[in-house]
């Protein structure tokens, strides 16, 4: 009798386990067969909307007009706001200080889904002006990241949900002056301390449940055409922590690109809109269109831009500029005319 009971118990247990295994297999197959949730994100480099670009807007013109179609080719558009937008504050003691009038915000909002504040000019007129900018951006509903009223806000990712994907954007500055950094009771930028950056990337997934995490960096030395040791080291730290791609700016020139663990690093996309330019290389930049799905970066392509003496960019229609796709793992030159 005991053998019969044991046999029945074994049979019953197996019959219960098989459906569970079957359901797990079906769920795994369903996930594998799920359609790709693709999103394209366009990144534009340093934008100073003071001085001549600001005057263009004041006169009722749109300095972004030449990029209308290129911007429309992406699902999301992100730029680095390389100035403070405010009417208050006192200029810091540094070579260049940039403060734009609040009238520029509607133009920015027309073209961008979010802007990074993590740079060495958004604090040019002090914490009071920085706080005013945050208030103005919130009032006009233009999203921002890489800065906040305190250190916690500054390091909080901006989450965008698009096409079924949850994308986390983080912004960091690591170019002086560090006095622009946010602290517990002062508005300012997010500074890129390695341990904090790693925590931020991990938390973007763990707490905010992001599918994709992208740091937008302000780093490197001005006018250097290749990334330095520190940039390369930090890029790898971020990808090891879980970043899906790293996009950089600040050197005011285009720098090199590479792939690490199958994930793209674009060290500097150069300038996008400013009139205070020192040399020919500073008049050239890229807009980068990054293609991602739920598994990470699929590809990226670039459009070469040229900035005129008024600080206004235009696409260089007949140029070839770098592009990459994960399938081949190769970076090559693509024609601007092909990237619609």
């Amino acid at each position: 009798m005991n053998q019969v009971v044991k046999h029945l118990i074994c049979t019953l247990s197996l019959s219960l386990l098989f459906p569970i295994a079957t359901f797990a297999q079906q769920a795994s197959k369903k996930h594998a067969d799920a359609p790709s949730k693709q999103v394209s994100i366009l990144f534009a480099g340093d934008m100073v909307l003071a001085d001549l670009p600001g005057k263009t807007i004041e006169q009722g013109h749109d300095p972004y007009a030449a990029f209308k179609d290129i911007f429309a080719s992406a699902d999301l558009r992100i730029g680095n706001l390389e100035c403070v937008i405010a009417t208050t504050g006192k200029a810091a003691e540094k070579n260049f200080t940039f403060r734009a009038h609040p009238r520029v915000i509607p133009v920015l909002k027309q073209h961008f889904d979010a802007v990074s504040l993590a740079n060495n000019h958004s604090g040019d007129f002090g914490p009071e002006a920085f706080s005013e900018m945050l208030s103005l951006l919130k009032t006009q509903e233009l999203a921002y990241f890489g800065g906040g009223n305190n250190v916690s806000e500054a390091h909080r990712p901006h989450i965008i949900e698009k096409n079924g994907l949850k994308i986390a954007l983080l912004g960091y500055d690591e170019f002086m002056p560090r006095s622009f950094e946010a602290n517990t009771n002062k508005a300012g930028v997010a500074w890129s301390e390695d341990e904090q950056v790693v925590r931020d990337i991990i938390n973007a997934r763990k707490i905010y449940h992001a599918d994709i995490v992208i740091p937008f960096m302000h780093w490197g030395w001005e006018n250097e055409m290749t990334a330095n040791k520190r940039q390369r080291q930090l890029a790898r730290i971020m990808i090891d922590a879980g970043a899906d791609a790293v996009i950089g700016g600040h050197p005011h020139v285009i720098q090199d690109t590479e792939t690490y663990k199958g994930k793209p690093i674009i060290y500097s996309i150069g300038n996008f809109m400013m009139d205070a330019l020192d040399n020919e290389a500073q008049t050239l930049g890229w807009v980068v269109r990054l293609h991602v799905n739920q598994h990470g970066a699929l590809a990226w392509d670039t459009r070469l831009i040229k900035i005129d003496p008024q600080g206004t960019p235009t696409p260089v229609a007949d140029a070839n500029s770098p592009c990459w796709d994960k399938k081949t793992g190769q970076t090559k030159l693509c024609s601007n005319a092909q990237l619609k």
Side-chain angles (χ1 to χ4, degrees):
M1 178 65 79
N2 288 340
Q3 292 298 323
V4 173
V5 172
K6 289 181 179 178
H7 179 73
L8 288 173
I9 291 173
C10 182
T11 302
L12 180 59
S13 299
L14 289 173
S15 68
L16 290 173
L17 286 172
F18 281 147
I20 294 173
T22 301
F23 293 149
Q25 291 169 357
Q26 289 176 345
S28 177
K29 184 176 186 301
K30 183 178 179 181
H31 177 73
D33 294 341
S36 178
K37 302 173 183 178
Q38 292 197 29
V39 174
S40 56
I41 312 166
L42 182 143
F43 291 87
D46 296 353
M47 302 185 297
V48 178
L49 298 179
D51 303 328
L52 295 182
K55 191 171 291 293
T56 297
I57 293 173
E58 182 181 6
Q59 293 170 347
H61 305 297
D62 182 357
Y64 295 98
F67 285 83
K68 181 179 178 181
D69 291 341
I70 293 173
F71 286 174
S73 73
D75 297 311
L76 301 170
R77 291 145 293 275
I78 312 298
N80 175 53
L81 183 59
E82 184 91 344
C83 61
V84 64
I85 300 176
T87 58
T88 57
K90 180 181 177 181
E93 294 183 2
K94 54 198 296 261
N95 290 338
F96 298 97
T97 55
F98 302 126
R99 180 174 60 181
H101 192 277
R103 72 171 66 91
V104 307
I105 296 178
V107 178
L108 269 175
K109 185 180 176 183
Q110 179 182 347
H111 296 289
F112 291 91
D113 297 281
V115 292
S116 174
L117 307 180
N119 59 70
N120 61 311
H121 286 289
S122 57
D124 278 355
F125 283 76
E128 180 186 0
F130 196 99
S131 291
E132 181 188 358
M133 173 172 61
L134 299 182
S135 179
L136 289 167
L137 294 175
K138 287 178 182 176
T139 298
Q140 300 203 39
E141 298 182 336
L142 176 57
Y144 61 84
F145 60 98
N149 282 302
N150 53 58
V151 66
S152 178
E153 286 185 12
H155 285 267
R156 183 181 303 156
H158 174 55
I159 303 295
I160 303 178
E161 296 191 44
K162 189 76 175 181
N163 298 347
L165 281 183
K166 186 176 283 191
I167 299 162
L169 298 172
L170 292 159
Y172 300 100
D173 178 31
E174 64 169 46
F175 192 84
M176 58 185 180
R178 188 160 182 174
S179 59
F180 290 175
E181 181 184 10
N183 62 32
T184 53
N185 55 13
K186 187 190 80 172
V189 304
W191 194 264
S192 58
E193 288 285 358
D194 292 6
E195 291 183 2
Q196 181 64 58
V197 169
V198 169
R199 283 197 297 271
D200 292 344
I201 292 170
I202 292 172
N203 287 340
R205 295 193 188 278
K206 184 177 180 180
I207 297 175
Y208 295 90
H209 307 293
D211 301 300
I212 298 295
V213 181
I214 305 170
F216 192 13
M217 300 302 302
H218 207 72
W219 58 3
W221 292 100
E222 295 177 0
N223 296 312
E224 288 189 353
M225 306 298 286
T226 57
N228 61 37
K229 182 178 179 180
R230 167 59 182 166
Q231 289 170 273
R232 297 182 193 280
Q233 175 195 43
L234 181 55
R236 285 162 172 73
I237 288 172
M238 290 187 288
I239 287 177
D240 286 339
D244 294 285
V246 179
I247 311 293
H250 168 71
H252 298 305
V253 293
I254 297 167
Q255 289 186 332
D256 53 315
T257 71
E258 64 176 310
T259 304
Y260 173 67
K261 293 186 174 179
K263 299 179 180 183
I265 305 167
I266 302 173
Y267 284 106
S268 176
I269 56 179
N271 296 322
F272 185 73
M273 184 174 291
M274 65 173 67
D275 62 332
L277 302 174
D278 297 333
N279 54 63
E280 181 66 18
Q282 291 187 4
T283 70
L284 300 174
W286 289 335
V287 289
V288 174
R289 187 173 54 178
L290 178 68
H291 305 267
V292 300
N293 68 4
Q294 64 267 40
H295 305 297
L298 297 173
W300 57 262
D301 49 55
T302 57
R303 293 295 300 263
L304 185 67
I305 66 109
K306 172 75 173 177
I307 303 172
D308 68 20
Q310 303 303 307
T312 303
T314 55
V316 183
D318 57 350
N320 292 326
S321 57
C323 60
W324 169 90
D325 70 87
K326 187 170 186 175
K327 185 177 293 186
T328 66
Q330 296 181 347
T331 302
K332 60 182 181 179
L333 291 178
C334 291
S335 168
N336 274 356
Q338 295 174 344
L339 303 177
K340 301 297 184 182

